[in-house]
Amino acid sequence: MSDRDDEKQSAAAAAKPGATGAEVGQRATAAAAEAGAQNIPAGPRGGRTELEVVATRHGMFGVQGPGDTSGFGGLVSTVAMPPASERPYGGWFDEVVDVLVEILTEQGLDPDAVLEKVVVDRGELTIFIAREHIGTVCRALRDDQDLRFELCLGVSGVHYPGDVGRELHAVYHLFSVTHVRQLRLEVTCPENDPHVPSVVDVYPGNDWHERETWDLFGIVFDGHPNLARTMLPDDWVGHPQRKDYPLGGIPVEYKGAVVPPPDNRRSYS
């Protein structure tokens, strides 16, 4: 029987005949909470950890003020980051981190200054790297015989306005063809200094991905051979994938009525 079937049976058992209304409510609430807990990032060994909450969103789209027309204005959700995991990470994760630490030490670097934190969440390994060292780490991961992450599947951006001083994240997905392993690197930078070194010299395939991330998120990849927009005109102002970018739009007219653009609408309160 699957975990999902177990959750359904637990919820059904909470409403069994003969139980009082209060008992039914308590059991159903507990069953729902247990089922919903599966969506909370897991700790290093499957346990729950205290998350780093960087923002709280209200409504379906996080609209500020009276502009939410979704009908979900009362919805409240948190944006949280999983904390650093504790050893043992499990599986091959410890081996990769140990080899990387050894390489950095041999190069005269302080691993604690290069590797900001290691996160193991839902069976995936993410290593947060200080942005000035992203090229060094990528080269080590690609070239060392015990690592051999030969393939970078690209870089994408994420914008967390509430993560003060670390609002922009560049996320790299690496794959080892030799060892059949996949890991994620993450680099952060502030909005007022959105610079990250390019890794095109290590992974040439990132050329286009870095251009796209610059276009949509405004992360400047220093050293890129031709950092230019990919989707918007060269003279376009702003980066549309950022959370604070205006929704924009144009008024829509039909049968004599006019629907204003999304950023000018008000909620039906």
Side-chain angles (χ1 to χ4, degrees):
M1 181 180 294
S2 66
D3 293 340
R4 183 173 296 178
D5 292 334
D6 290 340
E7 292 165 5
K8 290 180 179 179
Q9 285 196 358
S10 297
K16 63 183 180 180
T20 65
E23 291 175 343
V24 169
Q26 291 175 356
R27 292 174 183 171
T29 300
E34 178 62 24
Q38 305 306 316
N39 295 321
I40 300 175
R45 287 183 289 275
R48 303 304 177 204
T49 57
E50 183 176 352
L51 304 180
E52 177 188 354
V53 178
V54 298
T56 302
R57 288 181 51 180
H58 296 268
M60 179 67 74
F61 305 107
V63 177
Q64 302 295 324
D68 189 351
T69 60
S70 68
F72 291 88
L75 181 65
V76 179
S77 57
T78 58
V79 179
M81 306 290 185
S85 299
E86 300 177 358
R87 286 181 179 271
Y89 303 132
W92 52 267
F93 297 167
D94 292 273
E95 176 189 352
V96 167
V97 175
D98 289 340
V99 172
L100 188 56
V101 168
E102 181 181 347
I103 294 173
L104 295 173
T105 303
E106 291 175 352
Q107 295 181 3
L109 299 172
D110 180 8
D112 291 333
V114 177
L115 311 181
E116 293 182 346
K117 68 176 178 178
V118 177
V119 175
V120 177
D121 181 36
R122 295 184 174 92
E124 297 181 335
L125 174 64
T126 303
I127 305 177
F128 284 74
I129 310 296
R131 57 176 169 171
E132 62 270 20
H133 297 294
I134 181 63
T136 300
V137 171
C138 284
R139 190 170 288 104
L141 289 169
R142 183 195 65 180
D143 295 343
D144 187 84
Q145 63 180 359
D146 295 323
L147 300 176
R148 287 286 189 243
F149 285 89
E150 309 98 332
L151 179 63
C152 181
L153 304 177
V155 58
S156 57
V158 190
H159 184 208
Y160 297 101
D163 196 6
V164 180
R166 302 159 54 91
E167 292 89 356
L168 294 170
H169 292 220
V171 184
Y172 306 77
H173 295 271
L174 307 185
F175 185 77
S176 171
V177 179
T178 300
H179 302 294
V180 194
R181 297 170 174 175
Q182 184 169 334
L183 67 78
R184 182 186 299 108
L185 301 181
E186 195 156 339
V187 174
T188 67
C189 60
E191 289 177 331
N192 57 9
D193 182 25
H195 291 266
V196 173
S198 173
V199 297
V200 170
D201 60 332
V202 183
Y203 295 112
N206 263 31
D207 186 342
W208 194 264
H209 293 278
E210 290 185 357
R211 290 181 61 187
E212 183 179 38
T213 303
W214 143 247
D215 189 8
L216 299 179
F217 288 91
I219 299 177
V220 181
F221 292 93
D222 297 327
H224 189 282
N226 182 26
L227 194 63
R229 290 191 182 270
T230 59
M231 300 182 180
L232 299 170
D234 291 338
D235 59 352
W236 191 270
V237 177
H239 305 279
Q241 290 278 316
R242 288 196 183 186
K243 295 293 194 302
D244 54 3
Y245 190 81
L247 293 176
I250 59 175
V252 179
E253 183 176 349
Y254 63 98
K255 295 184 179 179
V258 176
V259 178
D263 57 348
N264 293 329
R265 299 176 191 170
R266 298 180 64 87
S267 61
Y268 300 102
S269 57

